């Protein structure tokens, strides 16, 4: 069983997709052992609660320094002894010590086709605003391992989504979630849980069933 900790900041629809995936068998060999949020009001924490998943909030507001927060965040993750850490809309800069400790064992979902519309400042709705402003016709989402850079780690899965005439950032965001994020995030976890993802340099190799 792959023990997974999911880290969230907001609504938690990707967390929900993972919970549903474990329940309906899309994700196999996996147990969600904990949910961590930096935001005590995150609806994602309610989703964890409703599904009987242990959860905790570690907020930077509760600590005098960033270093102290970073230490407590890593402690909270370690406390669940996870095999995999899943960043599902976790909008906090990951402490370097955590990146080092969970190298190739921490994944993130980003709402664009990396390397487009990613890096510093590109998160949430801003990604979709930028895509519409640039006038691209195809967008999408990416699941990747986390390394020291912002959205630079080895890519595991990507899925493209068409932009439609009249899209607003909100409409596009929803379509990218429905048609890409909620599919590739569960799929990536299932692949990892079944030993099918190998990292070679900055790439991954997905083995066939
Ligand atoms: C998702 O669209 C996710 O891709 C994005 O935040 C949203 C969280 O939604 N993440 C980033 O932008 C990371 N750079 P959710 O809380 O409903 O899953």
């Amino acid at each position: 069983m792959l023990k997974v900790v999911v880290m969230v900041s907001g609504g938690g629809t990707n967390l929900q997709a993972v919970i549903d995936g474990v329940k309906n068998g899309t994700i196999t060999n996996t147990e969600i052992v904990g949910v961590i949020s930096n935001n005590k009001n995150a609806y994602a924490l309610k989703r964890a609660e409703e599904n009987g998943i242990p959860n905790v909030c570690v907020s930077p507001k509760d600590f005098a320094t960033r270093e102290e927060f970073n230490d407590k965040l890593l402690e909270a993750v370690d406390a669940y002894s996870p095999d995999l850490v899943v960043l599902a809309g976790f909008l906090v800069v990951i402490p370097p010590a955590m990146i080092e400790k969970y190298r190739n064992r921490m994944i993130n979902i980003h709402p664009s086709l990396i390397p487009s519309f990613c890096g510093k400042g590109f998160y949430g709705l801003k990604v979709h605003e930028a895509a519409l402003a640039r006038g691209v016709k195809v967008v999408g989402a990416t699941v990747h391992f986390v390394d020291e850079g912002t959205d630079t780690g080895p890519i595991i899965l990507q899925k493209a989504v068409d932009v439609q005439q009249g899209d607003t950032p909100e409409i596009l965001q929803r379509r990218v979630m429905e048609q890409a994020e909620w599919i590739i995030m569960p799929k990536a976890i299932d692949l990892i849980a079944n030993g099918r993802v190998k990292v070679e340099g900055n790439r991954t190799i997905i083995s066939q069933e």
Side-chain angles (χ1 to χ4, degrees):
M1 276 290 196
L2 188 84
K3 286 164 55 178
V4 172
V5 160
V6 184
M7 303 185 73
V8 292
S9 296
T13 64
N14 279 284
L15 167 64
Q16 191 66 55
V18 177
I19 293 171
D20 293 346
V22 170
K23 277 191 183 159
N24 69 25
T26 313
I27 306 175
T28 56
N29 293 329
T30 298
E31 183 190 359
I32 307 172
V33 293
V35 169
I36 299 173
S37 178
N38 60 310
N39 167 13
K40 68 174 170 33
N41 297 317
Y43 187 70
L45 286 176
K46 280 212 176 67
R47 296 181 193 270
E49 202 60 40
E50 279 165 10
N51 287 278
I53 302 168
N55 58 86
V56 64
C57 172
V58 183
S59 167
K61 291 182 189 149
D62 296 335
F63 302 98
T65 67
R66 197 72 190 181
E67 287 68 32
E68 219 182 311
F69 165 69
N70 284 350
D71 288 350
K72 293 295 172 194
L73 192 64
L74 183 53
E75 266 178 36
V77 174
D78 286 348
Y80 291 116
S81 308
D83 302 306
L84 182 71
V85 177
V86 171
L87 307 182
F90 187 62
L91 305 179
V92 166
V93 176
I94 303 301
M98 187 164 146
I99 295 173
E100 184 61 42
K101 181 155 188 185
Y102 288 93
R103 192 177 301 284
N104 299 338
R105 292 192 296 145
M106 176 158 52
I107 64 174
N108 177 51
I109 180 102
H110 182 75
S112 79
L113 292 174
I114 290 173
S116 288
F117 307 112
C118 64
K120 215 163 171 273
F122 285 101
Y123 59 88
L125 213 50
K126 288 179 192 293
V127 175
H128 306 289
E129 285 165 0
L132 289 178
R134 182 61 186 85
V136 295
K137 304 298 185 196
V138 177
V139 292
T142 303
V143 179
H144 63 93
F145 284 108
V146 176
D147 69 4
E148 277 74 7
T150 307
D151 304 324
T152 54
I155 291 170
I156 304 165
L157 292 175
Q158 296 189 296
K159 193 165 186 295
V161 173
D162 284 340
V163 176
Q164 289 175 18
Q165 208 65 40
D167 272 350
T168 62
E170 290 80 7
I171 291 171
L172 187 57
Q173 179 181 50
R174 182 74 190 183
R175 189 177 314 116
V176 169
M177 285 176 160
E178 284 175 358
Q179 296 184 6
E181 296 187 42
W182 302 342
I183 297 165
I184 63 174
M185 179 55 113
K187 175 87 189 154
I189 296 171
D190 183 63
L191 288 170
I192 292 167
N194 289 285
R196 292 176 54 194
V197 182
K198 201 167 90 190
V199 178
E200 278 192 2
N202 199 36
R203 301 177 191 199
T204 66
I205 293 165
I206 314 286
S207 58
Q208 299 305 307
E209 271 174 293

